[in-house]
Amino acid sequence: GTYHEFEVKIVDADHPITKGMENFRLPDELYHKLVHMHNVDCRVLATAFSDPEQGGSGNDEPMMVATQYGAGRVYHHVLGHVYGGGPMTTFENKPFQNSLLRGCEWAGTGDVKCCG
């Protein structure tokens, strides 16, 4: 889809990464039609509607996903694109920053203490 502003919806508020987080808006590319591989169960933590008017699928698509893979914790975060030389408003978005930091902390430690 095109680079545009959209809402990221927290759909699993019980996971340590998203606990206490609220829905947020940001400008970004919205990845859609991702393929689930390796037959590993995962938890979708946040989604966004992929608007057909923006070249999207017309579905809610996963934006933040957590899983275990063997003994490892995996945090898949599909947000964080910079539009062709434009301002880095995605990376300057505080909820985006917090979600990325929280996901990295959880993947590394299994808990989240940062970014209230």
Side-chain angles (χ1 to χ4, degrees):
T2 62
Y3 189 88
H4 66 287
E5 184 173 305
F6 56 87
E7 181 179 34
V8 176
K9 296 175 265 182
I10 304 302
V11 296
D12 184 344
D14 294 327
H15 193 279
I17 295 172
T18 49
K19 192 171 210 89
M21 287 185 66
E22 296 180 358
N23 297 348
F24 60 97
R25 296 189 66 79
L26 82 161
D28 204 341
E29 288 180 328
L30 197 156
Y31 278 16
H32 56 262
K33 299 183 182 178
L34 299 175
V35 177
H36 185 150
M37 298 176 64
H38 306 292
N39 296 317
V40 176
D41 289 335
C42 65
R43 286 176 73 170
V44 176
L45 307 178
T47 63
F49 178 69
S50 184
D51 190 343
E53 291 184 18
Q54 299 293 336
S57 67
N59 297 312
D60 286 330
E61 300 285 352
M63 296 291 108
M64 298 168 17
V65 176
T67 190
Q68 292 281 140
Y69 195 74
R73 285 178 295 277
V74 178
Y75 176 60
H76 184 71
H77 186 98
V78 301
L79 303 169
H81 303 91
V82 177
Y83 178 67
M88 292 186 58
T89 54
T90 301
F91 283 91
E92 294 166 357
N93 181 287
K94 194 68 163 171
F96 163 81
Q97 293 172 356
N98 288 345
S99 65
L100 183 59
L101 290 171
R102 291 172 67 91
C104 291
E105 184 179 13
W106 174 82
T109 69
D111 195 13
V112 176
K113 294 187 168 113
C114 83
C115 316

